[in-house]
Amino acid sequence: MEKFKITKVKNNIFKIEEMLYKEHANLYLFISDNFYLLVDSGTGFWNLKEKIYKTFGNNTILLINTHGHYDHIGGNKQFSFSAIHENDLKSLTNPTKENTVSFKFSKSDMLTNNNESIKSLKSAPNMILHGGEKIAVGKFIFKILHTPGHSPGSISLYDEKNKTLVSGDMLYNGKLYYNLPKSDKFQYIESLKSTKKMKVQTLLAGHNEIILGEENIQKLMNKAIFELEEH
Ligand SMILES: [Zn+2]
Ligand SMILES: [Zn+2]
């Protein structure tokens, strides 16, 4: 079985999926000469770093976590440089059952040992994000936007010139989670509304398919806001 599925999105952008379970997160890799930017690290069930090196060659990898949930931070330990928003920092430094894989797979044989998976999440990022930071990788200049709601420290990465948004779990085509232990529905709606004002042609979503075209993305944002406001 293929463990990772790597799809080319555009020049120097790749989507990486762990073929572990159906609702796996999308991880994104941006390639530049000097370093790779990796957005999210998956569950950590398999060796992602090795896969990236084998596929793209060795280089420095900077990992940015969109937020602190198990499917986005599980592989953090494999990487030397990582960054997360201050409000989700505790998910890494003091992981609890709620943000481990075992929360998801409590009934499966795969990862039932809570203590093990909690321990395996524990890591210390090198950089704390507050929102407003900028990171240049190849032709992209991403601004870090604090877009809380799904979790307190959820961030998105936005490149204004290329109209590209990496949205993490704030926005994707599928059921959105606004009622997890640390979610805040009202913040979530605010985050979606402020994101809706931006021009986005490429939505690199945290789950499911990548969405292209401003109109499709606006439609999805409207749908998400409606869904949250109705509940
Ligand atoms: Zn997720
Ligand atoms: Zn999440």
Side-chain angles (χ1 to χ4, degrees), residues 67 69 72 150 169:
H67 64 297
H69 288 153
H72 300 259
H150 172 74
D169 280 4

Coordinates of all heavy atoms in Angstrom, one line a residue, residues 67 69 72 150 169, ligand 2:
H67 N -2.7 24.5 12.8 CA -3.3 24.5 14.2 C -2.8 23.2 14.9 O -2.1 22.4 14.3 CB -4.8 24.6 14.2 CG -5.5 23.4 13.5 ND1 -5.4 23.2 12.1 CD2 -6.4 22.5 13.9 CE1 -6.1 22.1 11.8 NE2 -6.7 21.7 12.9
H69 N -4.2 20.3 16.0 CA -4.9 19.0 16.1 C -4.0 17.9 15.6 O -3.1 18.1 14.7 CB -6.2 19.1 15.3 CG -7.2 19.9 16.0 ND1 -8.2 20.5 15.3 CD2 -7.4 20.2 17.3 CE1 -9.0 21.2 16.2 NE2 -8.5 21.0 17.4
H72 N -2.6 17.3 12.1 CA -1.8 18.3 11.5 C -0.4 18.5 12.2 O 0.4 19.2 11.7 CB -2.6 19.7 11.6 CG -3.9 19.6 10.8 ND1 -4.0 20.1 9.5 CD2 -5.1 19.0 11.1 CE1 -5.3 19.9 9.1 NE2 -5.9 19.2 10.1
H150 N -12.0 27.3 14.8 CA -11.9 25.8 14.8 C -11.0 25.4 16.0 O -11.4 24.5 16.7 CB -11.3 25.4 13.4 CG -11.0 23.9 13.4 ND1 -11.9 22.9 13.3 CD2 -9.8 23.3 13.5 CE1 -11.3 21.8 13.3 NE2 -10.0 21.9 13.4
D169 N -8.0 23.9 8.8 CA -9.3 23.4 9.0 C -10.4 24.5 9.1 O -11.5 24.2 9.3 CB -9.3 22.5 10.3 CG -8.8 21.2 10.0 OD1 -8.3 20.9 8.9 OD2 -8.8 20.3 10.9
Ligands
ZN2 ZN -8.5 20.5 13.2

